[in-house]
Amino acid sequence: MSNIRVASRYAKSLLELSVEKNALEAVMGDMKGLLSIAEQNRELGLALNSPIVTYDKKFNILKGLLGKGAHHITMSFFDLVTRKNRSNVLITTAQEFQKQYNEYNGIQVAEVTVTLPLTEDLRKEIIEIVKEISGLQKIELVEKIDKSLIGGFVLKVNDKLWDDSLSGKLRKARMKFAQRYFVKLY
């Protein structure tokens, strides 16, 4: 079974348990914390994937990183997964949990890439566009800055990508020129 499928099933089970125990927000905070740490520290992913590191050490690493602030459901889940030697899917499970959490709460996550930080008016316009595309009212906008866009923006909502950047338009023009057959006149 693929790691993504396993992670999706683990995330679903953890979501259902945390909803049942009224601990959804606390568990979500723990998952965000794990993802944040994993993003900043590559060694965490390597340790969780390593067959040499024992499950006790892996669990102690997780317990040490998330500290005493982590919810007992989260720590029990980490303990169970590491004991079953499936710690290699913990980070993917946290990502899947975040997706399922957003779906459960009706939150649409959209990613906008721009060359400069968005003004409040532009942010509101983009949120309205995302509401129209997704049909959801709760929007979480993730802003990224990329100077190579030159100008404009790239908006990603689920599997839809709207590239209205200057570099995207130049790339499209370059492709059109490459497809044309020019005839040399004498």
Side-chain angles (χ1 to χ4, degrees):
M1 193 177 305
S2 75
N3 283 350
I4 293 174
R5 182 182 268 171
V6 170
S8 179
R9 289 180 179 179
Y10 281 170
K12 182 179 180 188
S13 297
L14 183 60
L15 182 85
E16 289 172 357
L17 178 65
S18 58
V19 167
E20 181 182 314
K21 299 293 183 181
N22 293 323
L24 183 61
E25 296 303 321
V27 174
M28 182 59 190
D30 295 340
M31 292 297 141
K32 281 184 178 180
L34 177 65
L35 289 173
S36 174
I37 293 167
E39 189 177 299
Q40 296 169 8
N41 192 343
R42 181 176 172 260
E43 287 80 18
L44 175 62
L46 294 174
L48 292 175
N49 288 328
S50 175
I52 298 169
V53 180
T54 64
Y55 79 88
D56 289 334
K57 288 182 183 176
K58 291 177 183 181
F59 181 67
N60 287 332
I61 289 170
L62 291 167
K63 193 166 33 173
L65 289 173
L66 293 175
K68 295 179 182 177
H71 197 274
H72 68 87
I73 291 176
T74 307
M75 295 315 294
S76 297
F77 174 74
F78 287 162
D79 183 37
L80 179 68
V81 172
T82 54
R83 261 191 291 123
K84 297 290 183 182
N85 290 323
R86 297 299 287 205
S87 61
N88 60 324
V89 298
L90 277 176
I91 294 172
T92 310
T93 301
Q95 293 166 339
E96 285 295 317
F97 184 86
Q98 201 169 22
K99 287 178 188 174
Q100 291 180 20
Y101 170 88
N102 289 337
E103 188 177 306
Y104 177 79
N105 286 315
I107 300 171
Q108 176 62 60
V109 178
E111 183 179 298
V112 64
T113 308
V114 290
T115 55
L116 300 169
L118 291 174
T119 63
E120 200 55 43
D121 292 337
L122 280 174
R123 187 175 290 111
K124 286 178 184 175
E125 282 184 46
I126 290 174
I127 287 174
E128 288 303 316
I129 291 170
V130 174
K131 283 180 181 179
E132 188 177 314
I133 291 171
S134 68
L136 298 174
Q137 293 303 310
K138 295 179 187 175
I139 307 298
E140 186 178 308
L141 193 61
V142 178
E143 293 180 41
K144 293 186 177 182
I145 308 271
D146 184 3
K147 301 280 185 198
S148 68
L149 290 181
I150 305 171
F153 66 92
V154 176
L155 179 63
K156 183 179 177 189
V157 180
N158 294 333
D159 59 348
K160 296 178 179 93
L161 186 71
W162 183 8
D163 188 352
D164 198 31
S165 66
L166 193 53
S167 63
K169 290 176 182 177
L170 289 171
R171 187 174 41 256
K172 288 176 190 171
R174 219 177 295 126
M175 287 173 54
K176 282 184 181 178
F177 279 125
Q179 291 175 352
R180 303 210 183 214
Y181 298 106
F182 294 99
V183 178
K184 190 174 184 181
L185 298 176
Y186 296 99

